[in-house]
């Protein structure tokens, strides 16, 4: 029992560090973009995607940490209707939003920077700024639908398999309910797979465009700038691809080990899932010169204050 308590405390401590670091990074991203929005009275398509991505990840980490905290410290709270359903529904909504908006960002980079003579691709390049708001709206609607479905599935499973005790305020588990959660695994797998495929296609198209462009490149500044833009976008999407691959593997491990007593493997999964939103947003910040400059200026100010003290 002491080993289990120690493991739970260690897991919660690491999740807390990762979650709060990720929340700080995404809060910084949102604040910088909101300040720019107030100053310019408008945001470009890239900034709209990043703003929604930062908000989704901040809320995702908040709900994920609250769920982890309650499950480790106050597990009985999760048996109070409808706390478990609301937490899982909100978690699923922001998790889906996180992945689909990330996929939109990769697709946006690909369409904006890649050069193809295909009519449909040229049409997308011209209309992309008008398409982005609708893509983001569709992502949020689909995420909301999945969040509601997860809420309904968990509520149905809980009501079927749990008996009311303590005057209906708390529930006591009577049966295994893992089989009721297979639809949740299906929805989560669908979200992971579609976003992962979008990242893969964006990376392939951008790499092919870069290869074609380098073959036709001439020694003038315009082409050099175009190649530089290709390479910067390629680095960003490849970093996204690597992180998505690791996160996708963690999802597979979750399906395999979630119903088994494998503390070490599940600890690794929690580590990856809570590190992804912060690290990915950090890569986004350092791939954007304005965001990078703002972050470095804040860090330098903090360093100066620490030195003065």
């Amino acid at each position: 029992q002491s080993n289990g308590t120690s493991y739970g405390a260690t897991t919660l401590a690491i999740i807390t560090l990762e979650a709060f670091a990720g929340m700080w990074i995404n809060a910084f991203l949102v604040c910088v973009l909101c300040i720019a929005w107030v100053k310019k009275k408008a945001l470009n398509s890239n900034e709209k995607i990043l703003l929604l991505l930062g908000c989704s990840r901040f809320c995702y980490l908040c709900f994920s940490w609250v769920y982890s905290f309650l499950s480790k410290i106050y597990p009985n709270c999760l048996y109070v209707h409808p706390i478990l359903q609301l937490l899982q529904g909100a978690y699923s909504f922001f998790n889906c939003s996180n992945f689909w908006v990330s996929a939109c960002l990769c697709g946006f980079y690909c369409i904006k920077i890649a050069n193809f003579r295909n009519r449909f691709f040229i049409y997308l390049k011209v209309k992309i700024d008008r398409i982005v708001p609708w893509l983001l709206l569709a992502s949020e609607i689909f995420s909301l639908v999945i969040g509601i479905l997860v809420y309904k599935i968990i509520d149905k499973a809980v009501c079927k398999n749990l008996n009311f005790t303590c005057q209906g305020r708390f529930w006591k588990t009577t049966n295994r309910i893992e089989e009721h959660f297979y639809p949740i695994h299906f929805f989560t797998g669908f979200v992971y797979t579609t976003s992962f495929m979008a990242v893969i296609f964006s990376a392939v198209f951008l790499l092919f465009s870069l290869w074609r462009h380098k073959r036709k490149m001439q020694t003038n500044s315009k082409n050099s700038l175009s190649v530089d833009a290709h390479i910067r976008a390629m680095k960003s999407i490849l970093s996204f691809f690597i992180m998505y691959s690791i996160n996708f593997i963690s999802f597979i491990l979750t399906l395999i080990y979630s119903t088994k007593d494998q503390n070490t493997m599940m600890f690794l999964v929690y580590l990856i899932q809570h590190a992804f939103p912060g690290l990915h947003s950090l890569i986004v910040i350092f791939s954007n010169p304005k965001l990078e400059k703002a972050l470095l200026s804040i860090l330098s100010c903090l360093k100066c204050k620490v030195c003065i003290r």
Side-chain angles (χ1 to χ4, degrees), residues 270-291:
Y270 293 145
L271 195 71
I272 293 170
Q273 289 179 343
H274 287 84
F276 174 77
L279 288 175
H280 192 222
S281 295
L282 201 60
I283 291 170
V284 168
I285 289 170
F286 281 109
S287 64
N288 186 304
K290 292 180 181 178
L291 293 173

Side-chain angles (χ1 to χ4, degrees), residues 45 48-49 52-53 56 93 96-97 100-101 104 128-146:
S45 297
K48 289 174 185 175
I49 298 172
L52 186 57
L53 184 63
S56 298
F93 167 70
C96 294
S97 176
W100 274 333
V101 175
C104 289
I128 187 63
D129 291 322
R130 293 184 180 180
I131 295 173
V132 162
W134 293 104
L135 276 177
L136 296 179
L137 179 62
S139 299
E140 296 307 298
I141 291 173
F142 286 136
S143 300
L144 183 61
V145 169
I146 288 181

Side-chain angles (χ1 to χ4, degrees), residues 88 92 146 149-151 153-154 180-190 251 255:
Q88 287 291 340
S92 299
I146 288 181
L149 288 173
V150 168
Y151 179 95
I153 290 168
I154 292 179
H180 294 281
F181 296 154
Y182 292 145
I184 296 176
H185 294 321
F186 171 78
F187 292 136
T188 308
F190 172 74
F251 167 69
L255 296 183

Side-chain angles (χ1 to χ4, degrees), residues 97-114:
S97 176
N98 166 23
F99 281 101
W100 274 333
V101 175
S102 299
C104 289
L105 182 64
C106 292
F108 176 79
Y109 284 165
C110 178
I111 292 169
K112 269 289 186 182
I113 295 171

Side-chain angles (χ1 to χ4, degrees), residues 25-278:
I25 292 167
N26 285 286
F28 163 80
L29 182 65
V30 170
C31 288
V32 171
L33 292 171
C34 285
I35 291 169
W37 192 1
V38 171
K39 287 182 178 178
K40 297 189 300 181
K41 307 296 183 184
L43 290 175
N44 59 40
S45 297
N46 183 46
E47 290 170 336
K48 289 174 185 175
I49 298 172
L50 292 179
L51 180 60
L52 186 57
L53 184 63
C55 292
S56 298
R57 286 180 170 169
F58 181 86
C59 295
Y60 162 79
L61 288 169
C62 284
F63 280 99
S64 181
W65 180 81
V66 168
Y67 178 78
S68 299
F69 179 79
L70 290 178
S71 63
K72 302 295 181 185
I73 307 299
Y74 301 108
N76 286 336
C77 287
L78 297 178
Y79 298 137
V80 180
H81 188 275
I83 290 179
L84 177 62
Q85 293 90 321
L86 287 173
L87 284 175
Q88 287 291 340
Y91 172 89
S92 299
F93 167 70
F94 289 114
N95 192 31
C96 294
S97 176
N98 166 23
F99 281 101
W100 274 333
V101 175
S102 299
C104 289
L105 182 64
C106 292
F108 176 79
Y109 284 165
C110 178
I111 292 169
K112 269 289 186 182
I113 295 171
N115 291 315
F116 294 104
R117 293 182 180 178
N118 181 275
R119 286 185 178 181
F120 180 68
F121 191 85
I122 294 172
Y123 173 81
L124 288 178
K125 188 181 281 287
V126 172
K127 299 290 185 180
I128 187 63
D129 291 322
R130 293 184 180 180
I131 295 173
V132 162
W134 293 104
L135 276 177
L136 296 179
L137 179 62
S139 299
E140 296 307 298
I141 291 173
F142 286 136
S143 300
L144 183 61
V145 169
I146 288 181
I148 292 171
L149 288 173
V150 168
Y151 179 95
K152 294 287 187 183
I153 290 168
I154 292 179
D155 191 57
K156 184 179 179 181
V158 164
C159 290
K160 261 190 173 183
N161 292 273
L162 299 176
N163 292 329
F164 285 101
T165 60
C166 300
Q167 298 179 352
R169 290 178 296 166
F170 293 90
W171 292 336
K172 181 181 177 183
T173 306
T174 56
N175 296 313
R176 294 175 63 84
I177 59 173
E178 286 87 356
E179 62 270 15
H180 294 281
F181 296 154
Y182 292 145
I184 296 176
H185 294 321
F186 171 78
F187 292 136
T188 308
F190 172 74
V191 171
Y192 274 65
T193 304
T194 51
S195 59
F196 190 44
M197 292 300 293
V199 174
I200 292 172
F201 282 124
S202 298
V204 169
F205 285 137
L206 199 57
L207 186 63
F208 184 64
S209 174
L210 175 62
W211 174 72
R212 287 182 66 232
H213 188 75
K214 286 193 76 172
R215 285 185 61 191
K216 298 179 180 180
M217 186 181 65
Q218 299 174 354
T219 56
N220 61 57
S221 59
K222 183 178 179 181
N223 283 327
S224 298
L225 289 173
S226 180
V227 170
D228 289 342
H230 269 82
I231 292 172
R232 282 198 303 272
M234 196 69 235
K235 286 179 180 177
S236 296
I237 292 182
L238 281 178
S239 65
F240 294 173
F241 173 76
I242 292 168
M243 295 197 69
Y244 266 96
S245 300
I246 296 171
N247 213 42
F248 191 76
I249 292 170
S250 77
F251 167 69
I252 301 299
L253 293 175
T254 302
L255 296 183
I256 296 171
Y257 294 104
S258 60
T259 58
K260 299 178 182 179
D261 189 16
Q262 294 283 342
N263 287 344
T264 304
M265 191 57 66
M266 289 309 298
F267 173 77
L268 180 63
V269 169
Y270 293 145
L271 195 71
I272 293 170
Q273 289 179 343
H274 287 84
F276 174 77

